[in-house]
Amino acid sequence: MADLEHRTGGTSPIASYTPAQGEEYMSERQKAHFRALLQAWKRDLMEEVDRTVHHMKDEAANFPDPNDRATQESEFSLELRTRDRERKLIKKIDETLGKIDSDDYGYCKSCGVAIGIRRLEARPTANLCIECKTLDEIREKQTI
Ligand SMILES: [Zn+2]
């Protein structure tokens, strides 16, 4: 499965953040940076969703050959699953933007430590610190 949550740049690349010396964590400048990052990411995702919808409308023209039709249907269902994941991610981005507004952004929801700028740059929607995330993954593997 593609790692959608790992932001890869998209069409609106934003330079990575360099904190000033002694700058406090989640300063106004940092919040503005991550807000811009999340908004650009969301825009990319929404454009992607739009493109697929148009693509599917264009391609939905009749295919007289049943084999073509079957191939097309499986392609569509794959695209629909991807769109579904993107929609969920867009929702998560919206929630994350809300956390920036309420000053809850950037802290681990499990243990409360600062998640860290570097990790947030790579995963702007991260809500667990790397330690808690790792523990989480170990626990997940054990329950399967
Ligand atoms: Zn934690």
Side-chain angles (χ1 to χ4, degrees):
M1 190 171 98
D3 188 4
L4 267 179
E5 282 185 51
H6 197 277
R7 202 177 167 277
T8 47
T11 52
S12 326
I14 287 181
S16 65
Y17 189 84
T18 315
Q21 219 176 356
E23 185 181 324
E24 59 164 340
Y25 186 61
M26 286 302 135
S27 63
E28 286 306 316
R29 204 164 74 93
Q30 283 173 38
K31 283 193 279 186
H33 168 76
F34 285 108
R35 193 178 284 122
L37 198 76
L38 286 157
Q39 277 162 350
W41 190 15
K42 181 180 164 182
R43 209 159 42 233
D44 287 346
L45 283 167
M46 285 168 70
E47 276 169 20
E48 191 59 38
V49 172
D50 263 12
R51 254 198 302 277
T52 314
V53 172
H54 286 303
H55 170 77
M56 288 202 289
K57 272 186 197 149
D58 292 344
E59 299 273 304
N62 38 346
F63 276 86
D65 183 336
N67 285 327
D68 286 348
R69 218 156 41 218
T71 308
Q72 193 195 27
E73 272 160 25
S74 70
E75 267 173 30
F76 278 9
S77 79
L78 183 72
E79 287 194 350
L80 286 174
R81 274 202 300 277
T82 307
R83 291 302 81 83
D84 193 51
R85 286 215 304 273
E86 283 171 352
R87 263 192 294 273
K88 283 186 186 136
L89 187 52
I90 288 171
K91 196 166 160 265
K92 198 169 175 188
I93 291 172
D94 281 335
E95 288 165 6
T96 308
L97 284 164
K99 282 164 81 180
I100 295 180
D101 293 336
S102 58
D103 282 336
D104 294 322
Y105 182 67
Y107 297 93
C108 176
K109 70 166 183 183
S110 174
C111 72
V113 305
I115 290 170
I117 293 183
R118 229 172 245 265
R119 173 158 160 74
L120 290 171
E121 288 272 5
R123 267 173 196 277
T125 54
N127 54 14
L128 288 172
C129 71
I130 195 74
E131 284 83 7
C132 291
K133 178 73 187 159
T134 308
L135 275 175
D136 219 44
E137 275 164 10
I138 293 169
R139 250 180 250 132
E140 240 168 64
K141 274 184 201 129
Q142 282 170 342
T143 48
I144 289 167

